[in-house]
Amino acid sequence: DIQMTQSPSSMSASLGDRVTITCRASQDIGNYLSWFQQKPGKSPRRMIYGATNLAAGVPSRFSGSRSGSDYSLTISSLESEDMAIYYCLQSIQYPWTFGGGTKLELK
Amino acid sequence: EVQLVETGGGLVQPGRSLKLSCVASGFTFNNYWMSWTRQAPGKGLEWVASITNSGGSTYYPDSVKGRFTISRDNAQNTLYLQMNSLRSEDTATYYCTREGPFAYWGQGTLVTVSS
């Protein structure tokens, strides 16, 4: 199975900060990487697909990038509504696997 | 507007069965693969099952293979998850998702396996 190692598991940041969350894949997954945001008591929401493509309706301060087997989700200027747990997902090979999640809190 | 509405969750004893349903609307159901994903209380996300748009092929992780069955009725725009031999570790909120991948999620239905 492909392991997705997500870091950090939690972090705190201030409004306006640039924030980066990373997932490392244990095998080549190409660009079959998505990012999801989940707020308390809500269903997850897809933010990024294909490693770099912004999903419909997602603010442009969110972006995705890839460097080798490392995939990153960046928020260019943190807003209060961005406080949530973020998950990555690889969908190139079954079983599809999620990262462990990153809890983003306000400092 | 895409909508996915799950039903069928509840409290069930270990070893028993439960069947979840997901009614889809707002898109052409038979054009899309569909999946189920779950989340144990306070834990992360786990993919549970996927089915092709025709229903001809299905996929599962080892944790549920042989116990869970995903199916669909394209005439009724409905996705199903038959869960047999339930265990305490199957306790979770189960989400119906549309492929893209996971472009849309339902609100989830809670399954609690306990005696």
Side-chain angles (χ1 to χ4, degrees):
Chain A
D1 297 1
I2 297 175
Q3 307 302 317
M4 301 302 296
T5 303
Q6 191 170 339
S7 61
S9 56
S10 65
M11 65 179 298
S12 59
S14 301
L15 297 179
D17 281 355
R18 181 181 181 88
V19 170
T20 297
I21 299 166
T22 299
C23 268
R24 175 167 291 178
S26 63
Q27 300 175 35
D28 181 23
I29 62 169
N31 285 334
Y32 286 82
L33 189 284
S34 304
W35 290 97
F36 300 87
Q37 175 194 69
Q38 187 177 31
K39 296 182 179 181
K42 300 294 187 181
S43 303
R45 173 193 180 190
R46 189 177 70 166
M47 307 300 280
I48 299 286
Y49 65 97
T52 61
N53 300 295
L54 202 65
V58 174
S60 59
R61 63 181 180 274
F62 289 87
S63 64
S65 63
R66 173 190 177 187
S67 177
S69 60
D70 290 338
Y71 298 80
S72 296
L73 173 70
T74 298
I75 308 171
S76 60
S77 181
L78 193 65
E79 298 193 7
S80 57
E81 65 185 33
D82 301 335
M83 302 309 146
I85 299 176
Y86 292 86
Y87 297 94
C88 64
L89 164 76
Q90 69 80 17
S91 57
I92 194 172
Q93 178 188 110
Y94 289 113
W96 292 353
T97 45
F98 288 90
T102 295
K103 186 174 185 179
L104 179 55
E105 297 176 306
L106 198 57
K107 188 182 289 183
Chain B
E1 179 193 6
V2 171
Q3 285 200 315
L4 301 169
V5 179
E6 304 98 331
T7 57
L11 175 63
V12 60
Q13 293 180 326
R16 303 298 291 265
S17 299
L18 201 63
K19 187 172 186 176
L20 307 182
S21 300
C22 169
V23 175
S25 61
F27 65 100
T28 304
F29 185 68
N30 61 12
N31 282 354
Y32 291 89
W33 288 38
M34 298 292 293
S35 295
W36 290 95
T37 298
R38 68 183 179 184
Q39 186 171 39
K43 302 297 184 181
L45 299 167
E46 180 187 16
W47 166 73
V48 169
S50 291
I51 187 168
T52 56
N53 55 321
S54 67
S57 294
T58 57
Y59 306 87
Y60 308 91
D62 287 346
S63 58
V64 307
K65 194 176 295 182
R67 300 188 299 122
F68 289 13
T69 302
I70 188 172
S71 62
R72 63 193 296 161
D73 182 341
N74 285 344
Q76 299 294 322
N77 288 355
T78 304
L79 179 72
Y80 301 102
L81 185 68
Q82 176 68 47
M83 304 185 293
N84 299 332
S85 303
L86 282 161
R87 307 167 180 168
S88 58
E89 54 264 37
D90 296 319
T91 294
T93 295
Y94 286 73
Y95 296 101
C96 166
T97 61
R98 196 198 85 175
E99 288 325 297
F102 296 91
Y104 295 94
W105 297 63
Q107 85 288 349
T109 187
L110 178 62
V111 173
T112 303
V113 184
S114 174
S115 54

